[in-house]
Amino acid sequence: MMMHGVPIKHLNTFGIDVTAKQIVTACSETELVACWQEAKEKSLPVLLLGGGSNVLFLEDFAGILLLNRLMGVSVTEDKNAWHIHAGAGEDWHELVSFTLDRGMAGLENLALIPGRTGSAPIQNIGAYGVELEKVCEYVDLIDLTNGVNKRLSAAECRFGYRDSIFKHDYRDGYAIVAVGFILNKSWRPVLTYGDLTRLDSKRVTPREVFDTVCAMRRAKLPDPAVVGNAGSFFKNPLVSADVAQNLLRHYPEAPHYPQPSGEVKLAAGWLIDQCAMKGFRLGAAAVHEKQALVLINGGQATGGDIAALAMYVRRQVAEKFTVWLEPEVRFIAAEGEVDAVGVLS
Ligand code: FAD
Ligand code: EPU
């Protein structure tokens, strides 16, 4: 008998028109664990999903899409800081707005990032000079095999650039159920990036930083409600000082950001742009015209179309610069996540 899946186009911001065998919405830890254990008994794969804004579905998903919708926000305060405890299912941008509306500053540079709060620590979301690790106090997760809760301090989360322990030791069989934030009452604006550098650090308000970040993002990044995309498709590559020096000899204008480790971060968008690929189309997939690091769904693209374009872009950059880009986006096949670099190699 033919099995028809449930469409999930609306559950991934790339707008890839695939199906899952079943969709389950979990509003409590009990529901999360019950769904996961039932699926395991039936040998069905499970994929936890927040806003679907950092995933690329390569084909129909053969298992259960488990939507994490654990809600609730509570605030406590002490002399120096506000402590915010947010359910993993809370919309990230709404949480940023919620805190700002109540005079609690600190999340404004991270405005307008799509997705849910529980996903934010996984790749240590970052934008405009701030990464989540700067404001994270702890992350609560649950072991789906036995329902046991665990709280990791920010230090235990091993945050790095687009990285954390949730992509490694706690990648499989765990769900993030809540995130704790600490927002210092003595607010210091971070004005190191783009148009923010034009603001006066002595007079600027958190709301102005928020507005400026939103304006910069709207000018460059496509709105997933209009054009399917998952933000930056690749990570900015970290290269050795030698590789960076060599590149800068040939391209002195190349954006580069020395890291405390001695490595240098290059701008993947610039590398792709130098290959003259802005606006480049391959089938129904395209490189965004205003930001070369963003790949877009030009209409009816399949996951395979996006991956084929990513493979082409990656080769062009490697041929010109001998730098191999790695996807930031997580690749999902029928049985679950697959190694994205492997798919593109
Ligand atoms: P999803 O895509 O739903 O899930 C991502 C991964 O986390 C998947 O592997 C999923 O299985 C897993 N997962 C989801 N929820 C849980 C959970 N509760 N427990 C365990 N695992 C879970 N990112 C940035 O860092 N900075 C940016 O500036 C930025 N800008 C973006 C702009 C646009 C237009 C878009 C579309 C994306 C952008 N992103 C950015 C990427 C994305 O928004 C973030 O990675 C976001 O945190 C993903 O959240 P999500 O809920 O959509 O995650
Ligand atoms: N650039 C170009 N051409 C392009 C794109 C970029 O020359 O087509 C140059 C820019 O002029 C700039 C440099 O490359 O000198 C960096 O570009 P940008 O400031 O736009 O930032 P990015 O490195 O492309 C990163 C994050 C974004 C985040 C912004 C703002 C990664 C992978 N991406 O993008 O995060 O919003 O900085 O802080 O680190 C995401 O992760 O999905 C994401 C959107």
Side-chain angles (χ1 to χ4, degrees):
M1 191 180 78
M2 275 276 288
M3 286 290 294
H4 293 289
V6 191
I8 56 169
K9 185 178 178 182
H10 62 297
L11 294 174
N12 72 98
T13 62
F14 253 125
I16 305 295
D17 196 2
V18 286
T19 62
K21 190 175 167 65
Q22 198 185 335
I23 300 172
V24 174
T25 302
C27 300
S28 69
E29 293 180 4
T30 316
E31 285 172 4
L32 270 180
V33 174
C35 170
W36 198 86
Q37 295 190 347
E38 203 182 311
K40 291 295 133 184
E41 274 160 29
K42 293 180 185 158
S43 299
L44 280 176
V46 181
L47 181 75
L48 268 154
L49 207 66
S53 66
N54 212 29
V55 287
L56 177 67
F57 284 99
L58 298 170
E59 55 191 338
D60 288 337
F61 182 62
I64 299 175
L65 211 58
L66 181 52
L67 302 181
N68 189 326
R69 296 294 182 262
L70 276 66
M71 309 307 273
V73 179
S74 59
V75 182
T76 54
E77 66 179 296
D78 57 31
K79 202 160 82 20
N80 301 317
W82 289 285
H83 302 266
I84 292 131
H85 179 93
E90 291 288 339
D91 179 84
W92 173 257
H93 180 72
E94 278 174 25
L95 181 70
V96 174
S97 301
F98 170 92
T99 52
L100 269 194
D101 288 348
R102 284 156 186 79
M104 301 180 282
L107 300 183
E108 56 285 344
N109 292 58
L110 299 174
L112 268 196
I113 298 180
R116 304 278 169 157
T117 299
S119 316
I122 298 174
Q123 71 158 14
N124 185 19
I125 56 167
Y128 303 98
V130 174
E131 287 181 309
L132 183 98
E133 65 177 297
K134 182 170 184 271
V135 287
C136 180
E137 188 168 25
Y138 58 81
V139 175
D140 286 346
L141 65 163
I142 193 161
D143 182 336
L144 295 165
T145 60
N146 56 19
V148 173
N149 290 88
K150 195 171 174 66
R151 173 165 292 185
L152 298 187
S153 67
E156 287 171 318
C157 292
R158 286 199 235 136
F159 289 121
Y161 166 62
R162 295 294 187 271
D163 199 24
S164 74
I165 200 165
F166 308 108
K167 284 188 172 184
H168 305 282
D169 307 28
Y170 292 116
R171 198 188 71 165
D172 300 315
Y174 293 88
I176 293 175
V177 292
V179 183
F181 300 89
I182 177 163
L183 303 181
N184 217 301
K185 287 184 178 174
S186 57
W187 177 68
R188 287 219 192 104
V190 179
L191 304 174
T192 48
Y193 203 107
D195 293 350
L196 293 174
T197 57
R198 295 195 205 128
L199 301 175
D200 177 351
S201 63
K202 296 207 179 65
R203 286 159 198 264
V204 73
T205 63
R207 179 66 58 187
E208 282 164 351
V209 175
F210 174 92
D211 289 342
T212 308
V213 166
C214 290
M216 280 191 286
R217 295 185 68 94
R218 289 198 173 106
K220 272 200 228 168
L221 296 167
D223 177 355
V226 182
V227 177
N229 78 96
S232 299
F233 193 86
F234 297 101
K235 289 186 269 196
N236 285 328
L238 286 166
V239 299
S240 69
D242 285 352
V243 169
Q245 261 171 25
N246 195 27
L247 178 96
L248 287 163
R249 258 198 299 278
H250 294 94
Y251 303 93
E253 75 289 5
H256 60 287
Y257 318 96
Q259 303 295 301
S261 62
E263 289 177 305
V264 179
K265 197 192 271 180
L266 302 175
W270 183 87
L271 296 171
I272 300 168
D273 201 355
Q274 288 297 304
C275 298
M277 295 201 73
K278 262 190 192 150
F280 177 82
R281 288 187 78 96
L282 192 64
V287 177
H288 186 47
E289 280 172 356
K290 295 185 193 149
Q291 227 293 3
L293 192 47
V294 177
L295 304 189
I296 60 169
N297 178 350
Q300 305 293 323
T302 62
D305 291 338
I306 305 281
L309 174 64
M311 194 185 281
Y312 185 74
V313 166
R314 196 168 175 262
R315 284 221 184 109
Q316 294 293 115
V317 169
E319 270 172 29
K320 195 171 168 77
F321 297 107
T322 353
V323 172
W324 288 96
L325 299 178
E326 290 183 12
E328 173 188 301
V329 171
R330 319 274 298 258
F331 285 23
I332 314 295
E335 301 289 323
E337 184 170 12
V338 287
D339 174 41
V341 172
V343 171
L344 300 187
S345 300

